[in-house]
Amino acid sequence: MSNIVLIGPMGSGKSTVGAALARRLGRPHVDSDHFFVARYGPIPDYFTTHGEKDFREREHRVVAELLDSPRPSVISLGGGAVMDERTRALLGEQTVIMLDITEEQAALRIGDGTTRPVLGDEPMEAWKRIYAEREGIYRACADMVLPADDESIETRVDTIVARLNPTPSGDDTTP
Ligand code: S3P
């Protein structure tokens, strides 16, 4: 059984939805950013000291380690993890779900962006540019895309579970 991997832009709820989905499925949940921070310290500090290139290399290694989990897990990835082609190759063997989000929702969730160094001094301008660069990659990696909307976390989890296990009655035939 493969892992379920959540990808998508910053602020799309990968960590919260991942945790709720894992609870529902009775699987462990791991978050690549949390794992990174536990091992290497806060991401903004890491960027300042080592730079983004080094961060991306370590992020890839962290993600590869998590995907190699002995138990099928729910794994939330940092928004930029899919930019590494080695990581994308590993995702081919997983069940990958993209959580999408609108600019309006992102603006509410991103705040001043201080915990996300890639957003710099103009967080929403940066968010829009980065989203435009990555959207096609997220979609190409995903087995399932959850469109942006305002539903609750539990409703999002309901939708994912229904789509992972389509009912024979054909209520949900979306792949
Ligand atoms: C990043 C997203 C962040 C974190 C880092 C870089 C990105 O994770 O990995 O700040 O490049 O999109 P979230 O998507 O969980 O915010």
Side-chain angles (χ1 to χ4, degrees), residues 7-15 31-34 36 43-44 47 52 55-56 59 76-81 83 110 113 115-119 127 130 134 138:
I7 62 170
M10 288 170 269
S12 57
K14 300 178 295 288
S15 306
D31 181 300
S32 68
D33 283 345
H34 295 175
F36 186 97
I43 293 173
F47 265 64
E52 179 167 0
F55 170 78
R56 295 299 174 196
E59 179 181 46
S76 304
L77 298 192
M83 301 308 285
I110 292 298
T115 59
R116 294 173 168 112
V118 292
L119 293 178
W127 187 92
I130 292 169
R134 295 180 182 167
Y138 290 136

Side-chain angles (χ1 to χ4, degrees), residues 97-118:
I97 302 175
M98 174 191 177
L99 299 185
D100 206 2
I101 185 177
T102 61
E103 278 176 31
E104 292 71 24
Q105 290 168 326
L108 295 172
R109 294 186 192 173
I110 292 298
D112 62 9
T114 47
T115 59
R116 294 173 168 112
V118 292

Side-chain angles (χ1 to χ4, degrees), residues 74-94:
V74 177
I75 304 175
S76 304
L77 298 192
V82 297
M83 301 308 285
D84 187 301
E85 65 176 358
R86 297 166 300 173
T87 298
R88 289 201 295 276
L90 295 175
L91 291 182
E93 296 160 26
Q94 317 290 335

Side-chain angles (χ1 to χ4, degrees), residues 39-59:
R39 191 175 276 180
Y40 301 111
I43 293 173
D45 297 353
Y46 197 91
F47 265 64
T48 306
T49 313
H50 302 281
E52 179 167 0
K53 191 162 178 279
D54 201 289
F55 170 78
R56 295 299 174 196
E57 182 58 33
R58 289 220 186 276
E59 179 181 46

Side-chain angles (χ1 to χ4, degrees), residues 17 20-21 24 99 144 146-147 149-163 172:
V17 173
L21 179 63
R24 182 80 67 88
L99 299 185
M144 180 195 301
L146 236 63
D149 54 35
D150 292 322
E151 64 189 6
S152 71
I153 305 285
E154 290 305 322
T155 311
R156 298 215 106 188
V157 171
D158 291 342
T159 308
I160 294 172
V161 171
R163 289 180 60 176
D172 188 334

